[in-house]
């Protein structure tokens, strides 16, 4: 089975690098401390191992009839791999208010490398003698000057040749245009560019996040190591939990991270810990800043979503509407958002309201990801039921039920185009990435598939549009990052790394593509003048 990414327990994100059943985790009523390591990365020979991908078995093999445009582009219809997931992991979810075990929720193996995990033990209400506790009850911006001892690591940042590809050499990105960043000790599940500067953040199963400074044209960028620590036996130790999510605020001055240890943290760009947010009773699966930058939204295995006050680190409101783990969240406005869950439901909630303002029902399996369109009028959702649905607040039923993928749909992204964007004269499109190894581009107005992108040979975990919407990057467990023309559907650039790709992202200028991989590598592709 492919190396698993820790985001969510359903098809949207795979399993973490470690079991979440760990008695050394911090208590839910405490907070954790964080450490900082600044390192000057020194180039050395690129010697990275790869992680083998095993086949996934799926209990769902029937293909779904495509609702596709007759002119749909199919670059290589026979290349889709059929590697899907199994659904055998049983997780006992923590009660969202008391922290006690209340029911058993079946989650698939994307969230756990062990077959059975007890999430309730992640965040016990009262730490026993010798168990991990946090150093402070609340770490806010006033405590941000406290840092751990600074250490130096000899890590690698080198231009590196990827593995050979069975692809036209005229579109293959040369090794001279790729910079590999090494330092993480295990899988790197997520990466995201700072919106204002060429700083690339990454989160890993080694219980660290890192900030890589890519602003200089050098093969030795500096990195900051953001250690996610807890107090155990009077000492500060790594939490040994995956960093599952991260997001920059709107002006790029703060980075928020979510962890399998149940805590969200806010970091400054110099690596200092500003706040620790402790209210969830179990792993955090998703975390997002609102556009104004005053609130952070998180979703967890405890079935709840929380709006946090970013300035104080305090819980502003906790929403307990789902009856199973919450997998993803997305802001609609600065005070309203949508959430989805393994309970197959989507709730739209508003700060200050004690009931959902809208609930969407229609998916027949776990809802893996949700995304509002740039204007906040349409909500897209994708599911293990292999469908992509479009919803509007004006009606209860979906306005489009897009059926074309033959396996679980892993993630979705809207293009930064159409009314209300910086590219108003370009049509709005939606991209979906699936375990059927394909990416599809959709005309949402017509409810039809414009292009099917089929050069990948294993499940596709991530897609990202360039800032102008002209290109789409995709990352797959075949170790390849492909860059496509959104207008023609043609493959224009390609690069093969050394590990399965979990995440791809564009910088704000549209000149660089970052990617994170299962072998612990992070790499940056320079796509200028190519």
């Amino acid at each position: 089975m492919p190396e698993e990414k820790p985001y969510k327990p359903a098809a949207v994100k795979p399993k973490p690098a470690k079991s979440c059943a760990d008695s050394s985790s911090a208590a839910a009523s405490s907070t954790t401390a964080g450490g900082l390591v600044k390192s000057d990365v020194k180039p050395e020979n690129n010697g990275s191992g790869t992680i083998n991908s095993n086949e996934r078995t799926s209990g769902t093999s029937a293909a779904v009839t495509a609702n596709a445009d007759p002119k749909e582009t199919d670059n290589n219809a026979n290349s889709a791999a059929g590697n899907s997931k199994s659904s055998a992991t049983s997780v006992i979810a923590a009660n969202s208010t008391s922290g006690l075990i209340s029911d058993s929720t079946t989650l698939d193996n994307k969230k756990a490398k062990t077959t059975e995990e007890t999430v309730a033990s992640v965040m016990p209400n009262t730490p026993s003698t010798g168990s991990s506790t946090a150093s402070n009850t609340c770490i806010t911006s006033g405590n941000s000057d406290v840092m751990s001892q600074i250490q130096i690591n000899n890590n690698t940042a080198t231009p590196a040749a990827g593995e050979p590809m069975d692809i036209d050499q005229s579109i293959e990105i040369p090794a001279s245009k790729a910079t590999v960043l090494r330092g993480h000790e295990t899988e790197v599940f997520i990466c995201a560019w700072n919106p204002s500067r060429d700083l690339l953040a990454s989160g890993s199963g080694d219980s660290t996040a890192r900030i890589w400074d890519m602003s200089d044209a050098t093969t030795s960028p500096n990195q900051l190591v953001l250690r996610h620590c807890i107090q155990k036996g009077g000492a500060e130790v790594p939490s040994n939990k995956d960093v599952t999510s991260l997001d920059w605020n709107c002006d790029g001055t703060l980075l928020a991270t979510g962890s399998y240890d149940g805590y969200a943290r806010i970091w400054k760009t110099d690596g200092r810990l500003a706040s620790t947010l402790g209210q969830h009773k179990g792993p955090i699966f998703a975390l997002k800043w609102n556009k104004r930058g005053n609130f952070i939204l998180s979703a967890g295995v405890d079935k709840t979503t929380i709006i946090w006050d970013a300035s104080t680190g305090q819980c502003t409101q906790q929403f307990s509407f789902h009856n199973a783990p919450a997998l993803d969240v997305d802001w609609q406005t600065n005070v309203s958002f949508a959430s989805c869950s393994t309970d197959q439901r989507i709730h739209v909630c508003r700060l200050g309201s004690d009931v959902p303002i809208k609930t969407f029902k229609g998916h027949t399996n776990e809802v893996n990801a949700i995304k509002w369109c740039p204007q906040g009028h349409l909500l897209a959702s994708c599911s293990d039921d292999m469908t992509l649905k479009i919803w509007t607040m004006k009606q209860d039923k979906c306005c489009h039920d897009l059926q074309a993928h033959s396996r679980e749909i892993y993630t979705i992204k809207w293009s930064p185009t159409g009314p209300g964007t910086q590219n108003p004269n370009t049509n709005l499109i939606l991209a979906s990435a699936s375990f059927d190894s394909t990416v599809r581009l959709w005309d949402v107005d017509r409810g039809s598939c414009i292009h099917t992108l089929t050069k990948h040979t294993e499940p596709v975990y991530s897609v990202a549009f360039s800032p102008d919407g002209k290109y789409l990057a995709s990352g797959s467990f075949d170790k390849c990052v492909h860059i496509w023309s959104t207008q023609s559907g043609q493959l224009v650039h390609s690069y093969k790394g050394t590990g399965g790709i979990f995440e791809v992202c564009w910088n704000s200028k549209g000149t660089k593509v970052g990617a994170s991989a299962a072998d612990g590598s992070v790499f940056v592709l320079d796509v200028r003048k190519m």
Side-chain angles (χ1 to χ4, degrees):
M1 140 185 343
E3 192 65 28
E4 301 284 5
K5 180 181 183 182
Y7 272 103
K8 304 175 178 67
V12 82
K13 304 292 178 185
K15 66 189 179 185
K18 303 172 188 67
S19 168
C20 64
D22 187 344
S23 61
S24 66
S25 297
S29 60
S30 304
T31 62
T32 60
L36 157 69
V37 177
K38 183 174 181 180
S39 172
D40 292 324
V41 184
K42 302 185 183 301
E44 62 184 31
N45 292 332
N46 177 31
S48 139
T50 61
I51 295 179
N52 294 327
S53 298
N54 300 322
E55 291 186 357
R56 293 169 176 244
T57 59
S58 173
T60 307
S61 58
V64 178
T65 303
N67 179 20
D69 189 285
K71 297 180 181 180
E72 171 185 314
T73 300
D74 190 341
N75 296 312
N76 183 5
N78 296 322
S79 68
N83 294 334
S84 186
K85 65 182 178 67
S86 60
S87 299
T89 304
S90 175
V91 176
I92 301 176
N95 182 281
S96 61
T97 56
S98 67
L100 301 177
I101 297 173
S102 60
D103 61 74
S104 179
T105 304
T106 301
L107 305 178
D108 68 37
N109 63 351
K110 296 194 193 88
K111 281 304 298 181
K113 288 205 172 176
T114 54
T115 304
E116 302 264 331
E117 292 185 348
T118 304
V119 174
S121 67
V122 175
M123 305 289 290
N125 282 338
T126 305
S128 59
T129 302
S131 64
S132 300
T133 58
S135 57
N136 296 300
T137 301
C138 179
I139 300 176
T140 65
S141 57
N143 303 98
S144 61
D145 290 333
V146 180
M147 297 189 299
S148 296
Q149 181 180 359
I150 295 179
Q151 302 173 357
I152 301 297
N153 289 345
N154 290 324
N155 298 316
T156 306
T158 61
E163 296 183 0
M165 290 188 297
D166 296 328
I167 222 158
D168 186 347
Q169 290 187 351
S170 64
I171 63 174
E172 185 174 349
I173 295 175
S176 61
K177 293 287 188 178
T179 302
V180 178
L181 308 170
R182 299 200 180 274
H184 281 296
E185 298 171 3
T186 184
E187 311 98 324
V188 187
F189 300 118
I190 187 167
C191 59
W193 287 99
N194 183 294
S196 303
R197 302 163 56 190
D198 265 356
L199 300 176
L200 181 64
S202 57
S204 168
D206 64 7
S207 72
T208 73
R210 300 180 188 230
I211 300 176
W212 311 83
D213 188 348
M214 304 301 299
S215 57
D216 296 329
T218 175
T219 58
S220 301
N222 290 334
Q223 67 165 303
L224 298 174
V225 181
L226 283 51
R227 300 197 180 279
H228 290 55
C229 297
I230 57 176
Q231 289 291 321
K232 182 179 181 181
E236 188 176 276
V237 298
S239 70
N240 292 324
K241 299 295 182 182
D242 305 308
V243 177
T244 60
S245 49
L246 51 80
D247 193 33
W248 292 97
N249 68 344
C250 54
D251 59 6
T253 57
L254 297 170
L255 175 70
T257 61
S259 171
Y260 224 74
D261 65 11
Y263 295 98
R265 296 168 173 86
I266 302 175
W267 309 81
K268 297 187 177 182
T269 54
D270 61 5
R272 291 182 296 168
L273 180 66
S275 300
T276 301
L277 319 178
Q279 181 78 16
H280 281 293
K281 293 180 171 64
I284 294 173
F285 293 152
L287 177 144
K288 303 276 180 64
W289 288 88
N290 67 349
K291 290 183 179 179
R292 187 179 299 164
N294 59 326
F295 291 130
I296 295 172
L297 176 64
S298 60
V301 76
D302 61 6
K303 312 174 193 175
T304 75
T305 55
I306 296 176
I307 292 179
W308 307 87
D309 186 324
S311 63
T312 65
Q314 298 298 309
C315 170
T316 300
Q317 186 172 353
Q318 187 165 18
F319 304 83
S320 304
F321 304 138
H322 289 292
N323 56 29
L327 304 183
D328 197 17
V329 287
D330 197 42
W331 290 99
Q332 180 189 26
T333 68
N334 283 308
V335 294
S336 63
F337 67 93
S339 63
C340 65
S341 167
T342 63
D343 65 10
Q344 307 174 16
R345 301 289 189 264
I346 300 167
H347 294 308
V348 182
C349 306
R350 181 180 292 123
L351 181 64
S353 176
D354 57 1
V355 294
I357 59 176
K358 195 80 170 179
T359 295
F360 295 122
K361 303 176 183 178
H363 282 294
T364 58
N365 210 325
E366 300 173 358
V367 184
N368 300 320
I370 48 174
K371 294 288 185 299
W372 289 99
C373 74
Q375 285 192 303
H377 296 162
L378 299 174
L379 179 67
S381 62
C382 63
S383 169
D384 276 7
D385 65 13
M386 301 180 287
T387 72
L388 173 66
K389 300 184 191 298
I390 309 298
W391 313 83
T392 174
M393 295 294 287
K394 297 178 181 179
Q395 63 188 58
D396 293 333
K397 294 184 178 180
C398 64
C399 50
H400 289 298
D401 186 6
L402 307 177
Q403 303 181 27
H405 285 291
S406 60
R407 308 260 176 186
E408 300 89 333
I409 304 177
Y410 188 73
T411 192
I412 47 178
K413 290 285 176 64
W414 292 95
S415 62
T417 55
T421 72
Q422 294 183 349
N423 310 291
N425 298 322
T426 305
N427 290 335
L428 177 68
I429 59 177
L430 182 67
S432 58
S434 172
F435 277 16
D436 66 10
S437 305
T438 72
V439 176
R440 288 179 178 265
L441 300 182
W442 302 86
D443 181 327
V444 176
D445 288 337
R446 293 190 300 165
S448 62
C449 182
I450 308 168
H451 301 297
T452 303
L453 315 178
T454 59
K455 292 294 186 183
H456 286 297
T457 59
E458 290 200 33
V460 184
Y461 285 101
S462 181
V463 287
F465 284 94
S466 61
D468 59 9
K470 294 181 179 179
Y471 300 99
L472 180 80
S474 60
S476 165
F477 233 78
D478 61 10
K479 306 177 185 178
C480 291
V481 172
H482 292 330
I483 300 176
W484 315 80
S485 165
T486 56
Q487 181 177 9
S488 68
Q490 295 299 309
L491 182 64
V492 294
H493 299 303
S494 194
Y495 179 82
K496 188 166 187 177
T498 54
I501 307 300
F502 280 136
E503 193 81 26
V504 292
C505 55
W506 291 81
N507 70 344
S508 60
K509 297 178 182 178
T511 58
K512 297 174 184 177
V513 174
S516 59
D519 66 344
S521 65
V522 179
F523 58 87
V524 175
L525 305 175
D526 187 342
V527 294
R528 291 173 295 182
K529 299 180 181 179
M530 292 185 63

